[in-house]
Every structure is written in structure tokens, then in C-alpha cells.
Amino acid sequence: QMQLVESGGGLVQAGGSLRLSCAASGRSFSSYGMGWFRQAPGKEREIVAAINWNGGRTYYADSVKGRFTISRDNAKNTVYLQMNNLKPEDTAVYYCAARQVGRDEFVYWGQGTQVTVSS
């Protein structure tokens, strides 16, 4: 099992920034690709960004390209999501998730952290 704990959410005004962190424990962190997802009220969960095991490849949803940056520190077993120029439509619960290298499915999930962007 891998345990994932998100932190860094909060209330911010439009145009502001937040940095989410996700601390992993229980498994070899560098054996897993990581992703950030979000779910807004009444909407389906969507992927926001993903990063491979060593940080060499990243993916971003079109809605966050140029504003969000995913990164990881394998020495600290932590993945980050730097969110800049936040918009009210970014309001959601943000989750981090892990998938084994070579697998498509994210199998471990955190509990989520709320991000609220006021206009």
C-alpha cells in the first residue's frame, strides 16, 4: 500500500497562487508515476497534470497549461503542483494519485485538499 497525503489547499483570490504538496509513504516512490486530479461540485473528476517516475515527462490538461507546474522530489517522496494565475473555475478538491511505472491506472489516492478561488 502507498499512503498519499495532500496539503497546501486554501482560499485565494483570482490571479493568486497556491502550491499543493503530496507526501507519499509505504512504497518505493520512484517506482510510481504521479498525477494530480480535481473534482468540482457536480462535475466528474478530471486529470490536471501527471509526471513520470523521474520527472522527465509531464502532462497537463489544456485548461491549466502555462499556469500549473507539476514536479517531484524523489528524495523527499513528494510531488508538487504549483498553481499560478488561478481562476474561479479552478475551484475544486484536488487529489494526488499514484500508478506503477508501465501501468495506466492510478491505484493509490489521497484524501484531497480543497482549493477555492474567489473572483
Side-chain angles (χ1 to χ4, degrees), residues 24-98:
S25 62
R27 290 274 183 171
S28 177
F29 182 67
S30 59
S31 297
Y32 287 80
M34 301 298 296
W36 283 99
F37 293 75
R38 68 186 181 187
Q39 187 166 21
K43 294 189 177 181
E44 292 190 355
R45 185 174 61 196
E46 62 175 352
I47 188 166
V48 174
I51 190 166
N52 75 329
W53 69 275
N54 66 356
R57 289 184 307 194
T58 57
Y59 163 85
Y60 296 95
D62 288 343
S63 58
V64 306
K65 279 181 183 176
R67 300 188 299 121
F68 290 11
T69 302
I70 188 171
S71 62
R72 66 189 294 161
D73 185 339
N74 286 351
K76 295 182 177 179
N77 291 352
T78 302
V79 62
Y80 306 97
L81 185 68
Q82 177 67 43
M83 305 186 294
N84 297 328
N85 190 22
L86 282 160
K87 304 176 180 181
E89 51 263 43
D90 294 317
T91 295
V93 178
Y94 284 71
Y95 300 89
C96 72

